[in-house]
Amino acid sequence: MDRKTFLSRMGYTAIGGAALFSTPFGLTGCTPGTQDAEMFFDISLAQWSLNNSFFNGSLDPINFARIARQQFDIGAVEYVNRFYTDHVTDQGYLNELRNIANGEGVESVLIMCDNEGALGDPDPAARQQAAENHYKWLDMASFLGCHSIRVNAASSGSYEEQMQRAADGLRRLSEHAAGMNLGVIVENHGGLSSNAEWLVGVIEMVDMENCGTLPDFGNFRISQDETYDNYRGTEELMPYAKGVSAKSYAFDDNGNEANLDYMRLMQIVKDAGYTGYVGIEYEGDELSESDGIMATKELLMRVGKELADG
């Protein structure tokens, strides 16, 4: 099935790559759907879904909230720190970023933070420095009205050593964040962090209310030779979740994610009592970024409605 046929079956008009950027924020030909009020969760858009367009300059990161609203009719966003490294302390830029979000009625949910050092570094001084490297992102998150920053629990050493080191670094950062009424949430994001049992142990060792998880449906590859079960992992991480990442890669003829059982995953999310944001994070290459986002949104809305009716 080609892309045009797939999108036709999904109930919206295909937008080619050129058309997406032919007018400001890709408004041409787009008739986005709206979220059903009966769903138990809200939908947000992870900026990484458009990472190629931001990296190649086709899109300007300052317009992310506007793109989310006008292109996809999504009213909440999850920023990626890599697109704001040069502006994180630029108050004028941050003012404009916040004003655009407010003007579009878009909520800033969280900032995904990478490349700031290993919070589980074997060296205590390096762990402390990694924690402090995140402070500027907490400041930005507070200014934008986010509830959390998403961090990584990277470490080295034995299973137990990595747990202790990651918990120590996370506690240092979480203590600082607590004074700002912000959360520090950890994604299963490779290495032992993709072992849900290990990550749960880390969060329990930190033992702070504002330190939790961001379960990602797809990131359960521990190493090249080891993968944790996606469904078991999601179920184990959900009791500590302060966010959920709806990873998607490809879709079948019926609009279902070809690699992940979204009905099963979202049932796990619902059973955990979670009612917050579920962030769209499309990482496929069969559809364009915009079409993959819309396909994921349509799937989430359909599954959400079915679970509400069930």
Side-chain angles (χ1 to χ4, degrees):
M1 179 178 59
D2 62 24
R3 172 174 162 272
K4 183 176 180 180
T5 301
F6 167 79
L7 292 167
S8 176
R9 292 184 183 180
M10 290 293 288
Y12 56 90
T13 304
I15 307 171
L20 174 60
F21 307 118
S22 61
T23 59
F25 320 119
L27 299 180
T28 300
C30 182
T31 53
T34 57
Q35 183 174 318
D36 193 301
E38 295 181 1
M39 296 197 307
F40 68 89
F41 60 95
D42 293 312
I43 294 175
S44 55
L45 177 61
Q47 193 168 17
W48 193 253
S49 297
L50 292 162
N51 75 90
N52 292 320
S53 299
F54 286 117
F55 278 128
N56 68 26
S58 299
L59 293 178
D60 187 339
I62 203 165
N63 289 318
F64 177 41
R66 185 175 286 143
I67 294 163
R69 173 61 77 190
Q70 296 190 17
Q71 173 67 33
F72 305 108
D73 194 24
I74 294 175
V77 292
E78 302 175 9
Y79 302 93
V80 172
N81 74 328
R82 292 170 66 180
F83 300 120
Y84 302 98
T85 302
D86 294 335
H87 304 288
V88 64
T89 59
D90 182 340
Q91 195 59 49
Y93 186 96
L94 295 180
N95 284 338
E96 186 174 359
L97 191 66
R98 185 173 69 174
N99 288 342
I100 289 172
N102 290 342
E104 296 293 338
V106 170
E107 181 174 352
S108 297
V109 178
L110 56 86
I111 303 174
M112 296 186 174
C113 299
D114 301 299
N115 301 330
E116 291 294 356
L119 288 168
D121 195 287
D123 180 3
R127 286 202 298 276
Q128 179 62 32
Q129 185 60 59
E132 293 179 8
N133 290 345
H134 287 82
Y135 288 179
K136 58 185 177 291
W137 299 111
L138 286 168
D139 291 338
M140 178 175 167
S142 178
F143 181 77
L144 295 177
C146 301
H147 67 69
S148 298
I149 62 170
R150 187 278 281 149
V151 303
N152 299 299
S155 187
S156 59
S158 70
Y159 185 100
E160 293 77 12
E161 286 173 337
Q162 291 193 54
M163 182 178 291
Q164 293 169 356
R165 291 165 179 171
D168 179 63
L170 284 167
R171 186 181 303 107
R172 297 179 191 215
L173 180 57
S174 297
E175 287 172 350
H176 184 83
M180 306 171 69
N181 292 317
L182 289 172
V184 173
I185 57 181
V186 187
E187 180 182 353
N188 45 306
H189 208 202
L192 276 176
S193 74
S194 289
N195 179 322
E197 184 176 0
W198 179 87
L199 185 51
V200 165
V202 170
I203 298 301
E204 291 182 342
M205 192 174 291
V206 174
D207 192 25
M208 292 187 64
E209 180 63 30
N210 68 322
C211 186
T213 63
L214 179 71
D216 183 300
F217 292 165
N219 285 353
F220 284 99
R221 181 169 292 281
I222 300 169
S223 66
Q224 186 174 355
D225 303 319
E226 185 179 6
T227 301
Y228 206 83
D229 182 79
N230 299 67
Y231 307 98
R232 174 189 169 189
T234 301
E235 186 170 7
E236 290 173 345
L237 294 176
M238 278 308 304
Y240 309 88
K242 300 180 185 298
V244 173
S245 184
K247 184 64 62 61
S248 59
Y249 305 97
F251 298 84
D252 64 21
D253 291 1
N254 297 315
N256 294 311
E257 216 291 330
N259 305 287
L260 297 165
D261 185 341
Y262 259 57
M263 183 63 71
R264 182 178 176 186
L265 287 164
M266 290 304 295
Q267 183 68 62
I268 292 170
V269 173
K270 182 181 181 182
D271 289 347
Y274 182 83
T275 58
Y277 283 105
V278 175
I280 294 171
E281 191 171 44
Y282 174 68
E283 282 193 350
D285 53 19
E286 294 183 4
L287 298 174
S288 69
E289 291 179 324
S290 59
D291 295 338
I293 291 167
M294 286 302 295
T296 310
K297 179 185 176 185
E298 293 289 338
L299 175 57
L300 281 172
M301 291 179 67
R302 174 162 54 84
V303 169
K305 183 64 165 61
E306 290 179 20
L307 289 174
D309 291 341

